[in-house]
Amino acid sequence: MNIENATKILRTVPREKAFYFFTSIGNYTGESASSLKEFMEKINEVNVKSLEFHLCRRDFEKWINEVLEDKRLAEEIAKLQKTNLTGDSLRHQLYHTVWKRYQQLTSGF
Amino acid sequence: MRGRKPLKFKNNTLALDATDLKILEVLQEDARQTYTAIGKRLGIAHSTVYDRIRRMEQHGIIKKYTTMIDAEKTGTKNITAIMTIYTDPKESEKVAEKLCMAPQVLEVYTSLSEELQIIAKVVAENQESLHTFIANSIAPLHGVLRIRTSIVTKKFKETQLSIANDPKKLTLIKETYRIKEEKIK
């Protein structure tokens, strides 16, 4: 991973491209993330129902792949989706997956 | 009504009497009725009906003649949802205005209970397109704090405010114009 790519993935995106956390169809929690760092932080803050909702719909991997353009992390999250984890186990595992990637991306600076 | 005295204006609005209100009531039942049919029904000349309708059109009281469609019978399978959008009071007007610009949003209201809310009725092709619309177009708006959405599962009643269900207008007809009412009957 070169610095240029890492910088691109770690950038802050405009609010219309941010990730908006919902707990079900049309029910927005008021929490959003405009960067990978913010996304990682919000994993520990949002209602766990929101994590379950988005993981099941594959919204996380879609946003990470299409907006942040991090295919590798998107693939890791896709694997997590197949584990059928729920509740705090899901929160913990998701945070760990994103944290690990975040460490990799920031280690080159 | 030819040779009638000019109608009174209050704050640039036309003062309506019982006959005007009756005409509006009849038109709201069926706007395709002829002036003659309306006149016969109310016991007044068709020319009176014509004059009064024209005047109410000119003053914007009658805004337009439209068609109510039963969407279910057209075969469309749209879903309807009621959104409650909690907003920052400073941004609520702008949020409401932006909502009004979206074609899938049918009605927009503001309400003040414990927090400032915008209530909007929205239609979508399916649950997924409803969610995409809310996630991509509503949640990112400045001042949106959170959103609660209820998908309508069954419609029991849908009607427009009319003379027939406006208590104030009915009282006006019944009390102020009792004599005319009796004549009309």
Side-chain angles (χ1 to χ4, degrees):
Chain A
M1 167 69 59
N2 60 40
I3 289 178
E4 199 182 322
N5 267 350
T7 308
K8 193 178 171 190
I9 294 167
L10 293 167
R11 77 197 185 283
T12 298
V13 297
R15 61 182 296 125
E16 64 271 16
K17 297 262 181 186
F19 190 88
Y20 292 87
F21 290 90
F22 285 66
T23 49
S24 57
I25 297 286
N27 288 304
Y28 170 48
T29 60
E31 300 287 350
S32 64
S34 296
S35 65
L36 187 63
K37 185 173 184 282
E38 205 179 354
F39 179 72
M40 184 174 72
E41 289 163 356
K42 293 287 162 118
I43 291 170
N44 280 335
E45 292 172 21
V46 297
N47 187 328
V48 77
K49 277 185 187 172
S50 178
L51 302 180
E52 291 169 358
F53 172 69
H54 290 296
L55 191 76
C56 174
R57 290 167 45 88
R58 311 184 83 158
D59 290 334
F60 292 142
E61 55 181 281
K62 198 176 163 200
W63 182 71
I64 287 165
N65 190 23
E66 292 174 10
V67 178
L68 299 185
E69 297 175 74
D70 187 353
K71 277 191 178 169
R72 195 164 149 185
L73 180 58
E75 281 166 12
E76 288 297 313
I77 290 178
K79 281 181 204 164
L80 193 59
Q81 199 256 340
K82 287 171 190 157
T83 62
N84 294 324
L85 283 173
T86 57
D88 281 336
S89 314
L90 166 64
R91 191 196 297 276
H92 177 77
Q93 198 54 51
L94 182 62
Y95 181 82
H96 181 72
T97 304
V98 178
W99 177 84
K100 211 167 75 183
R101 180 62 174 156
Y102 183 76
Q103 293 303 315
Q104 276 177 357
L105 291 166
T106 52
S107 63
F109 292 103
Chain B
M1 187 185 284
R2 291 199 175 103
R4 192 177 175 220
K5 282 182 186 174
L7 289 157
K8 292 172 191 171
F9 291 86
K10 279 181 185 174
N11 303 325
N12 207 27
T13 56
L14 185 65
L16 302 178
D17 66 13
T19 308
D20 296 319
L21 294 173
K22 270 285 175 192
I23 291 170
L24 288 175
E25 188 182 347
V26 170
L27 279 176
Q28 284 192 307
E29 282 172 25
D30 179 4
R32 297 180 76 197
Q33 294 179 77
T34 63
Y35 300 130
T36 308
I38 296 169
K40 263 188 189 172
R41 197 164 153 194
L42 302 182
I44 54 176
H46 66 88
S47 56
T48 304
V49 177
Y50 171 79
D51 286 343
R52 286 177 179 245
I53 288 176
R54 209 177 57 150
R55 201 172 283 125
M56 289 191 281
E57 286 171 348
Q58 284 167 350
H59 284 87
I61 290 168
I62 296 173
K63 284 158 79 176
K64 63 178 176 180
Y65 300 92
T66 184
T67 306
M68 282 183 76
I69 296 168
D70 188 330
E72 283 174 29
K73 287 182 182 165
T74 65
T76 50
K77 301 269 182 191
N78 288 340
I79 59 161
T80 303
I82 307 295
M83 281 192 295
T84 305
I85 305 159
Y86 297 86
T87 57
D88 174 349
K90 285 179 241 161
E91 300 288 339
S92 62
E93 286 277 324
K94 282 182 196 164
V95 173
E97 281 164 16
K98 292 224 169 119
L99 279 168
C100 292
M101 288 159 73
Q104 55 271 71
V105 176
L106 305 182
E107 294 168 35
V108 180
Y109 308 94
T110 54
S111 160
L112 186 62
S113 50
E114 285 176 14
E115 287 176 281
L116 187 65
Q117 303 168 355
I118 295 171
I119 297 158
K121 185 175 168 183
V122 58
V123 285
E125 211 175 313
N126 51 44
Q127 288 199 17
E128 195 49 46
S129 62
L130 172 72
H131 185 76
T132 303
F133 169 63
I134 297 171
N136 295 350
S137 306
I138 311 298
L141 294 176
H142 277 283
V144 171
L145 302 177
R146 59 187 195 281
I147 305 169
R148 292 284 165 270
T149 304
S150 303
I151 295 169
V152 172
T153 51
K154 191 175 177 182
K155 182 166 68 184
F156 285 89
K157 185 178 180 183
E158 185 177 45
T159 186
Q160 288 181 312
L161 182 69
S162 70
I163 304 302
N165 58 19
D166 183 340
K168 218 174 175 181
K169 297 279 190 298
L170 278 176
T171 309
L172 180 72
I173 293 173
K174 284 178 185 166
E175 291 178 4
T176 316
Y177 297 95
R178 191 170 291 145
I179 301 163
K180 277 191 179 180
E181 270 283 287
E182 282 164 6
K183 274 185 188 172
I184 288 166
K185 282 173 189 172

